[in-house]
């Protein structure tokens, strides 16, 4: 009886952990889409996307429209136009979203790291390995974790200019 209970507990915990990963990934996908909509609204108002910082943050916030926007903070321009009340950050503290804008503000790419590498939104190669952008790190810690999911402006592909590998 104890062995059977142990097996059931292990199965239950594994299923629960998998559900948590999928839930966080769904939040990441929704966050990235919502940020994309806010960036489109910004573009409609200013005819360019905000610049990006070296560490992947949006550079289009109050007070100067060149100030760094904080993940978890308000996305608001110098005219007090609020594009997002809260610019979402990743659910895990050691992960981050990466925003990369064209120098001329004509396009953007926004990346995240999905925990479930079997997710259908992550392209796979013939060996069923998940695509990653090996030049875009989604970790904020010492160990490098590459982004594997992204969205972009309609005039630029999410993988345009990126180095793609599979893991």
């Amino acid at each position: 009886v104890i062995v059977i209970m142990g097996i059931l507990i292990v199965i239950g915990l594994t299923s629960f952990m998998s559900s948590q990963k999928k839930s966080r990934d769904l939040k990441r996908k929704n966050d990235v889409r919502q940020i994309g909509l806010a960036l489109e609204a910004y573009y409609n108002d200013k005819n360019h996307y905000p610049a990006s910082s070296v560490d992947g943050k949006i550079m289009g916030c109050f007070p100067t429209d060149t100030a760094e926007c904080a993940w978890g903070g308000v996305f608001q321009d110098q005219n007090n136009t609020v594009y997002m009340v809260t610019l979402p950050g990743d659910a895990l503290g050691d992960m981050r979203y990466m925003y990369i804008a064209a120098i001329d503000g004509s396009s953007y790419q926004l990346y995240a790291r999905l925990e479930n590498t079997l997710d259908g939104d992550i392209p796979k190669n013939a060996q069923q390995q998940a695509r990653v952008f090996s030049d875009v790190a989604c970790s904020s810690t010492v160990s490098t974790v590459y982004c594997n999911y992204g969205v972009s402006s309609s005039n630029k592909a999410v993988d345009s200019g990126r180095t793609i590998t599979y893991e």
Side-chain angles (χ1 to χ4, degrees):
V1 171
I2 293 173
V3 170
I4 291 172
M5 291 288 292
I7 292 171
L8 290 175
I9 289 171
V10 168
I11 291 171
L13 284 175
T14 303
S15 177
F16 177 71
M17 290 172 43
S18 175
S19 295
Q20 284 185 314
K21 284 182 182 181
K22 289 178 183 178
S23 175
R24 287 190 297 265
D25 284 348
L26 180 61
K27 182 183 180 320
R28 287 180 184 103
K29 289 181 194 180
N30 287 332
D31 285 351
V32 167
R33 285 187 201 110
Q34 292 301 314
I35 295 167
L37 291 173
L39 291 167
E40 293 302 330
Y42 187 99
Y43 183 87
N44 286 337
D45 287 350
K46 305 197 180 275
N47 207 29
H48 64 86
Y49 295 104
S52 54
S53 68
V54 178
D55 61 347
K57 292 183 181 170
I58 298 169
M59 302 291 290
C61 281
F62 185 83
T64 63
D65 278 0
T66 57
E68 189 174 274
C69 304
W71 299 114
V74 64
F75 181 13
Q76 176 181 358
D77 72 359
Q78 67 184 5
N79 300 324
N80 290 321
T81 303
V82 176
Y83 296 99
M84 289 190 87
V85 173
T86 303
L87 195 57
D90 194 90
L92 297 176
D94 59 343
M95 301 299 285
R96 63 182 175 183
Y97 298 136
M98 289 294 293
Y99 172 71
I100 301 170
I103 292 171
D104 64 358
S106 64
S107 63
Y108 75 88
Q109 296 164 307
L110 182 62
Y111 299 97
R113 172 70 184 207
L114 301 184
E115 294 176 76
N116 177 18
T117 57
L118 300 176
D119 189 290
D121 288 334
I122 302 172
K124 317 265 185 306
N125 64 9
Q127 292 76 33
Q128 294 304 304
Q129 295 171 306
R131 173 197 69 191
V132 295
F133 304 101
S134 60
D135 57 343
V136 184
C138 276
S139 61
S140 58
T141 59
V142 176
S143 63
T144 302
V145 178
Y146 297 116
C147 301
N148 59 9
Y149 177 78
V151 298
S152 61
S153 55
S154 60
N155 61 342
K156 188 164 192 168
V158 74
D159 56 357
S160 177
R162 303 279 64 93
T163 303
I164 296 174
T165 57
Y166 293 88
E167 56 182 35

